[in-house]
Amino acid sequence: MKDLITLILIVLVGWAGFSLLKGDEYVGFYYPDASNLSNDIQSSYTFDSIEACRSWVGEQVSKHNPTDSDYDYECGKNCDLSQGKPYICEETLE
């Protein structure tokens, strides 16, 4: 019984340490038409900083918005993408 409790404690401490060291991840969502937020382009990879996500958004604007029309974007922090839309993120930033 003592060995089982020790094993559980080791697993919990390891999981907590991994969670703390992992850092935040950001996913970009670019909306080419700000009046239609159901049409989005999602980044195909995650970013380790909000600045990198915003840089990706800038690339999308250059690629999809040559006429300078109204667009919108979000960078989602630590999003759960496994359940499909709507995605659940700890926080969304612009």
Side-chain angles (χ1 to χ4, degrees):
M1 185 64 157
K2 185 177 179 181
D3 290 337
L4 179 61
I5 292 172
T6 303
L7 179 63
I8 291 172
L9 285 174
I10 290 171
V11 169
L12 288 175
V13 168
W15 176 77
F18 175 76
S19 295
L20 290 173
L21 294 176
K22 184 178 113 180
D24 295 325
E25 290 184 330
Y26 297 87
V27 177
F29 302 97
Y30 171 72
Y31 306 97
D33 180 1
S35 64
N36 180 9
L37 298 181
S38 63
N39 177 27
D40 68 281
I41 298 170
Q42 177 185 327
S43 60
S44 57
Y45 41 86
T46 59
F47 307 98
D48 60 358
S49 70
I50 186 69
E51 293 81 13
C53 181
R54 289 176 178 147
S55 177
W56 174 84
V57 170
E59 293 171 15
Q60 301 311 301
V61 171
S62 296
K63 191 184 307 183
H64 300 286
N65 195 3
T67 62
D68 201 28
S69 61
D70 202 18
Y71 68 91
D72 200 1
Y73 76 93
E74 294 176 310
C75 290
K77 178 180 167 185
N78 299 329
C79 299
D80 179 5
L81 306 176
S82 66
Q83 302 298 316
K85 291 183 180 181
Y87 301 124
I88 306 299
C89 303
E90 280 182 16
E91 186 177 13
T92 54
L93 308 158
E94 285 194 355

